[in-house]
Amino acid sequence: MKQFGSETEAVDALAESYREIRQEIGKIIIGQDDVVKSVLISIFSNGHCLLVGVPGLAKTLLVHTIAQVLDLSYNRIQFTPDLMPSDITGSEILGEDRAFKFIPGPVFSNIILADEINRTPPKTQAALLESMQEKIVTVGGQTHHLPQPFFVLATQNPIEQEGTYPLPEAQLDRFMFNVMLTYPSFQEELQVVKNTTSNRNVELKKVLTTDQIRYFQQLVRTIPVTDNVLEYAVSLAAKTRPGTSEATDDVNKFLSWGAGPRASQFLVLGAKCHAAINGKYSPDKEDVQAVAEPILRHRIVRNYKAEAEGISVENLIRRLL
């Protein structure tokens, strides 16, 4: 791992690496710029990401491509109603020497794609969410540390909700970002179809090592934040809480629940990383605003009045900004 002479040099290196990563990902993934940016920010901020989008929008391909470019181990777990916690974490088996031996599950990877996480019962969801929070797995009284860096990207299909187990608010809160995927534009889809229906072979360059990623994760935390930006981030989260002195009229009228302190933490971390990848040495309010929507989207709950009047969560966040 190369040592940088100063923090500004290290931030410049992160910004340059980010540009290279985007360039490599762009060889495979057409469009989805905001989605790619959000996923990379959450990786460098040591957070996790929830992707919500209809099938066929290259969610799996995106994660696989990022794993290749960052030279990280990758596993995909297809969540189904019969999936057990041990299918994720691993289990102990009795070996030939009559001693129990731990067989690691698919969660022992740097990047986990939790496909359709809302298709599995809460007990199994909780097994993955514990791993996300603690970065450890406990089986048979023994603690096993997960490889670092560790990043979970979970997907949900917003259309077909029959037979699903929606993630409760407390578990949704563990995800740094909730990113909505939309359909590509006509030109983007044209390019996707052209690329995927020909005999095109793309070589991806590995941009960073695991040590470099961990270094940049530490770097993001050390980036200084001015008091006014810190206060702006905390104030933004506080404004979403109905019934409090900071709440706006819209919030009191349309929300039944607001964002907790974890939102404030992620707003500051996300703003630091957003500033760094753009070559800035300290975040400003614009950086907080840039990451606010995917951070607050899954942390505020609309009431019946908002639903009746067709007021979306995104609409309320934009009014707050």
Side-chain angles (χ1 to χ4, degrees), residues 7 9 44 47 56-58 81 104 111 132 166 181 196 211 215 218 244 253:
E7 196 173 277
E9 278 183 30
F44 288 125
L57 295 182
I111 293 186
M132 288 165 54
L181 273 90
T196 54
D211 284 345
Y215 174 82
Q218 290 297 320
T244 62
K253 188 178 175 185

Side-chain angles (χ1 to χ4, degrees), residues 52-66:
V52 180
V54 296
L57 295 182
K59 295 186 287 288
T60 308
L61 180 63
L62 169 65
V63 186
H64 189 237
T65 305
I66 289 173

Side-chain angles (χ1 to χ4, degrees), residues 247-280:
T248 64
D249 290 341
D250 276 345
V251 165
N252 285 325
K253 188 178 175 185
F254 295 121
L255 291 185
S256 55
W257 204 253
R262 201 179 263 138
S264 306
Q265 294 166 347
F266 281 140
L267 282 168
V268 172
L269 265 179
K272 284 182 175 193
C273 191
H274 188 270
I277 62 175
N278 286 294
K280 286 152 64 176

Side-chain angles (χ1 to χ4, degrees), residues 174-215:
R174 298 186 189 281
F175 289 96
M176 180 177 183
F177 284 141
N178 178 350
V179 182
M180 306 294 288
L181 273 90
T182 54
Y183 290 111
S185 68
F186 181 81
Q187 289 302 324
E188 286 168 351
E189 191 166 346
L190 206 60
Q191 191 62 47
V192 167
V193 173
K194 201 180 283 183
N195 291 352
T196 54
T197 55
S198 64
N199 194 21
R200 181 172 170 263
N201 191 23
V202 178
E203 284 290 319
L204 290 176
K205 186 178 83 175
K206 293 177 176 26
V207 176
L208 293 176
T209 64
T210 52
D211 284 345
Q212 287 171 321
I213 294 165
R214 291 173 70 181
Y215 174 82

Side-chain angles (χ1 to χ4, degrees), residues 118-244:
N118 56 335
R119 292 235 166 264
T120 204
K123 188 177 180 181
T124 308
Q125 289 174 355
L128 176 70
L129 292 159
E130 181 196 10
S131 306
M132 288 165 54
Q133 186 66 17
E134 312 299 335
K135 309 283 172 76
I136 57 170
V137 164
T138 305
V139 177
Q142 295 292 312
T143 298
H144 307 274
H145 290 272
L146 293 170
Q148 295 300 320
F150 178 70
F151 172 68
V152 172
L153 197 144
T155 70
Q156 281 188 180
N157 176 354
I159 296 172
E160 196 190 349
Q161 295 301 326
E162 193 177 327
T164 61
Y165 305 84
L167 287 171
E169 275 70 26
Q171 294 188 349
L172 278 173
D173 198 40
R174 298 186 189 281
F175 289 96
M176 180 177 183
F177 284 141
N178 178 350
V179 182
M180 306 294 288
L181 273 90
T182 54
Y183 290 111
S185 68
F186 181 81
Q187 289 302 324
E188 286 168 351
E189 191 166 346
L190 206 60
Q191 191 62 47
V192 167
V193 173
K194 201 180 283 183
N195 291 352
T196 54
T197 55
S198 64
N199 194 21
R200 181 172 170 263
N201 191 23
V202 178
E203 284 290 319
L204 290 176
K205 186 178 83 175
K206 293 177 176 26
V207 176
L208 293 176
T209 64
T210 52
D211 284 345
Q212 287 171 321
I213 294 165
R214 291 173 70 181
Y215 174 82
F216 286 137
Q217 285 177 336
Q218 290 297 320
L219 173 70
V220 166
R221 288 191 166 267
T222 62
I223 289 172
V225 185
T226 58
D227 285 347
N228 68 315
V229 173
L230 208 59
E231 285 165 15
Y232 178 74
V234 174
S235 163
L236 192 57
K239 279 179 186 172
T240 66
R241 298 163 194 162
T244 62

Side-chain angles (χ1 to χ4, degrees), residues 12-22 44 207-208 216:
D12 291 340
L14 173 54
E16 182 56 39
S17 299
Y18 172 76
R19 280 192 290 273
E20 278 186 58
I21 293 164
R22 288 297 296 263
F44 288 125
V207 176
L208 293 176
F216 286 137

